[in-house]
């Protein structure tokens, strides 16, 4: 087992170091930040205990999250595709400066919390996929905690995560036991919602919906409804006709589905005049989806070359297939080098590096969810803690009951 996993560890270390090298000089460059959830500020305060400056601590936390982004995508692609090569290709492409929307959102637009959540999104989808496949109660708890972590990092990230989870769940439903897997998805969401009650208490949610950011979310959701009238039937028909009961095509469905969803959101017209739903804000998710698709298609093409029949459409003799594969690898390496040296990450203008910005526009923060939380009273927070406590108790009781039932079945 250790020998089999060792190459993955080396690959992950290499990808992480590669990302650090790309952005190393930006650890000393200030950039705008804005937060509406506690994870990143809390981690930054942990560094401040050791004497770090607050701005420096926040910057380091965000850049470390950024560096781990391709690694989390590696785990998800490997789980969906079942091929290390697809995961490696996706992680490398996701790291390249040519897909710079993730970097620009972090250092230019002040959307660091969103990018931190984007690092956690593939891990949450990975945990959910494990539960959908196995039905293990432990996997359900892990998936719920992963969703909770995303929610506590960025509310907008949670919105993007739901899109990823819906595509992933639908891909599993196409393989069979659709109702059961839909129930498992709903169960995980309910658990995550209950666990998040200590922060997202009912009064906090109500006040948030009437805040500028909350009204933007509501407006964005309203504008998504017409788009869903087109998107849902197309994806549904597309899925059932081409991917129903075809597990070998699941990676392609997930990659295409994510690319189509975030592509349409990014380029199908303005969703809202407010920053939280600006089209450019979904570009990092689109970049992740494109990297996913690149990894799946690239590894499939590489794997098909030795077995593809020689014919009119592919007349390359079998004896030259190895040479073609080596040529593809060389072309990919050249592409990566060109992308790195001709399109490096650039420092943004100094006029955009000061202050706290709302993502997508250059106006100062007027009212964030952090300020909204301060408006909630002790009773409201107590209710939220009560919801989380009850959820933990219910999860514990279910876990004990299922464990006892499992022992009875075995005996």
């Amino acid at each position: 087992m250790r020998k089999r996993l060792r190459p993955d560890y080396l690959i992950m270390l290499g990808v992480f170091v590669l990302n650090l090298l790309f952005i190393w000089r930006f650890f000393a460059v200030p950039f705008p930040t804005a937060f509406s959830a506690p994870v990143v500020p809390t981690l930054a305060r942990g560094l401040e205990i050791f004497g770090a400056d607050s701005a420096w601590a926040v910057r380091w936390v965000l850049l470390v999250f950024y560096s781990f982004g391709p690694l989390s995508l590696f785990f998800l692609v490997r789980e969906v595709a079942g091929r290390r090569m697809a995961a490696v290709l996706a992680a490398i492409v996701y790291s390249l400066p040519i897909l710079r929307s993730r970097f620009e959102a972090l250092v230019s637009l002040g959307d660091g919390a969103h990018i931190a959540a984007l690092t956690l999104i593939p891990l949450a989808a990975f945990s959910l996929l494990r539960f959908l496949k196995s039905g293990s109660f432990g996997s359900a708890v892990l998936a719920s905690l992963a969703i909770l972590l995303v929610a506590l990092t960025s509310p907008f990230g949670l919105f993007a995560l739901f899109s990823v989870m819906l595509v992933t769940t639908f891909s599993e439903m196409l393989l069979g036991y659709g109702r059961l897997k839909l129930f498992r998805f709903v169960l995980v969401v309910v658990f995550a919602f209950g666990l998040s009650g200590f922060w997202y208490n009912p009064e906090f949610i109500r006040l948030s919906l009437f805040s500028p950011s909350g009204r933007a979310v509501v407006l964005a959701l309203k504008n998504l409804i017409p788009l869903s009238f087109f998107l849902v039937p197309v994806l549904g028909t597309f899925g059932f006709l081409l991917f129903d009961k075809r597990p070998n095509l699941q990676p392609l469905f997930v990659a295409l589905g994510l690319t189509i969803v975030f592509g349409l959101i990014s380029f199908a017209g303005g969703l809202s005049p407010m920053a939280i739903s600006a089209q450019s804000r979904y570009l990092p998710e689109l970049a992740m989806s494109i990297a996913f698709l690149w990894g799946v298609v690239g590894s499939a093409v590489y794997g098909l070359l030795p077995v593809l029949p020689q014919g009119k459409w592919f007349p390359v003799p079998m004896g030259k297939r190895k040479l073609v594969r080596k040529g593809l690898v060389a072309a990919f390496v050249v592409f990566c080098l060109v992308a790195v040296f001709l399109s490096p990450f650039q420092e943004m203008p100094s006029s955009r590096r000061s202050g706290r910005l709302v993502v997508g526009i250059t106006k100062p923060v007027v009212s964030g969810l952090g300020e909204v939380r301060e408006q909630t009273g002790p009773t409201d927070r107590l209710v939220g803690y009560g919801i989380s406590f009850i959820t933990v108790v219910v999860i514990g009781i279910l876990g004990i009951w299922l464990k006892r039932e499992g022992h009875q079945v075995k005996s």
Side-chain angles (χ1 to χ4, degrees):
M1 178 65 72
R2 290 182 179 178
K3 290 183 179 180
R4 184 175 65 87
L5 292 177
R6 192 170 301 160
D8 288 353
Y9 293 139
L10 293 175
I11 291 168
M12 289 185 292
L13 177 61
V15 171
F16 179 71
V17 171
L18 180 68
N19 279 267
L20 278 181
L21 291 175
F22 285 157
I23 64 170
W24 183 255
R25 62 192 180 96
F26 292 96
F27 279 83
V29 177
F31 51 80
T33 57
F35 304 102
S36 56
V39 166
V40 174
T42 300
L43 292 175
R45 281 195 292 269
L47 293 179
E48 292 176 31
I49 295 176
F50 300 97
D53 175 75
S54 60
W56 181 93
V58 168
R59 186 164 63 248
W60 272 68
V61 169
L62 291 176
L63 289 172
V64 169
F65 264 111
Y66 177 93
S67 299
F68 275 107
L71 297 188
S72 64
L73 181 62
F74 175 90
F75 280 110
L76 177 60
V77 176
R78 191 182 62 176
E79 178 68 19
V80 175
R83 300 188 63 181
R84 183 187 299 145
M85 182 180 183
V88 171
L89 286 176
I92 292 176
V93 172
Y94 195 37
S95 305
L96 294 177
I98 195 172
L99 294 177
R100 60 181 58 249
S101 57
R102 192 166 60 104
F103 173 80
E104 290 179 347
L106 173 65
V107 302
S108 298
L109 302 177
D111 207 8
H114 170 205
I115 300 307
L118 187 59
T119 295
L120 301 172
I121 284 174
L123 298 180
F126 169 88
S127 303
L128 174 64
L129 189 60
R130 282 282 178 93
F131 175 56
L132 294 177
K133 290 180 177 180
S134 67
S136 167
F137 189 73
S139 298
V141 175
L142 288 176
S144 301
L145 291 174
I147 297 171
L148 170 65
L149 190 58
V150 173
L152 295 178
T153 303
S154 168
F156 181 83
L158 180 63
F159 181 72
L161 172 60
F162 269 106
S163 300
V164 176
M165 291 194 303
L166 286 173
V167 172
T168 305
T169 302
F170 186 44
S171 74
E172 274 295 314
M173 293 173 63
L174 291 174
L175 302 182
Y177 302 101
R179 292 182 181 179
L180 175 62
K181 292 176 179 178
L182 180 60
F183 171 77
R184 290 174 178 173
F185 168 74
V186 173
L187 180 67
V188 166
V189 171
V190 171
F191 281 171
F193 178 79
L195 291 173
S196 66
F198 75 94
W199 181 264
Y200 295 104
N201 60 69
E203 179 63 13
F204 176 44
I205 294 175
R206 188 187 70 81
L207 292 174
S208 298
L209 291 176
F210 288 98
S211 70
S213 298
R215 288 196 297 270
V217 172
V218 173
L219 184 58
L221 292 175
K222 288 182 178 179
N223 282 280
L224 278 175
I225 293 176
L227 182 62
S228 66
F229 289 150
F230 166 77
L231 186 61
V232 173
V234 168
L235 280 180
T237 305
F238 179 69
F240 279 109
L241 290 179
L242 299 180
F243 300 99
D244 188 32
K245 301 296 191 302
R246 294 182 175 91
N248 58 312
L249 295 180
Q250 184 186 23
L252 182 60
F253 175 81
V254 174
L256 277 176
L258 293 177
T259 303
I260 292 172
V261 169
F262 291 117
L264 285 176
I265 292 176
S266 298
F267 300 112
L271 295 177
S272 166
M274 305 188 72
I276 197 166
S277 57
Q279 286 178 293
S280 61
R281 204 173 187 191
Y282 297 89
L283 291 178
E285 280 79 8
L286 179 59
M288 182 183 71
S289 305
I290 291 173
F292 195 152
L293 183 61
W294 185 296
V296 170
V297 174
S299 63
V301 171
Y302 187 83
L304 282 174
L305 281 176
V307 298
L308 198 65
Q310 182 178 351
K312 178 181 178 181
W313 300 107
F314 193 69
V316 179
M318 287 294 181
K320 296 184 178 180
R321 300 292 177 88
K322 289 185 178 180
L323 184 62
V324 174
R325 296 178 88 182
K326 292 180 180 179
L328 286 178
V329 174
F332 179 71
V333 172
V334 171
F335 167 76
C336 292
L337 292 175
V338 170
V340 170
F341 289 105
L342 294 186
S343 181
F345 291 132
Q346 298 290 337
E347 185 176 347
M348 55 286 186
S350 58
S351 61
R352 302 181 67 183
R353 289 195 275 113
S354 61
R356 297 168 64 87
L357 307 182
V358 176
V359 180
I361 55 177
T362 56
K363 296 180 180 179
V365 173
V366 177
S367 177
L369 296 185
E371 289 77 7
V372 173
R373 179 168 172 78
E374 295 178 358
Q375 300 176 24
T376 60
T379 303
D380 302 318
R381 299 184 185 185
L382 185 62
V383 170
Y385 280 105
I387 293 173
S388 294
F389 177 76
I390 293 173
T391 304
V392 171
V393 171
V394 170
I395 291 175
I397 293 174
L398 282 175
I400 295 172
W401 178 76
L402 290 172
K403 188 174 182 179
R404 288 180 178 177
E405 288 294 315
H407 284 312
Q408 291 179 1
V409 171
K410 291 180 181 179
S411 60

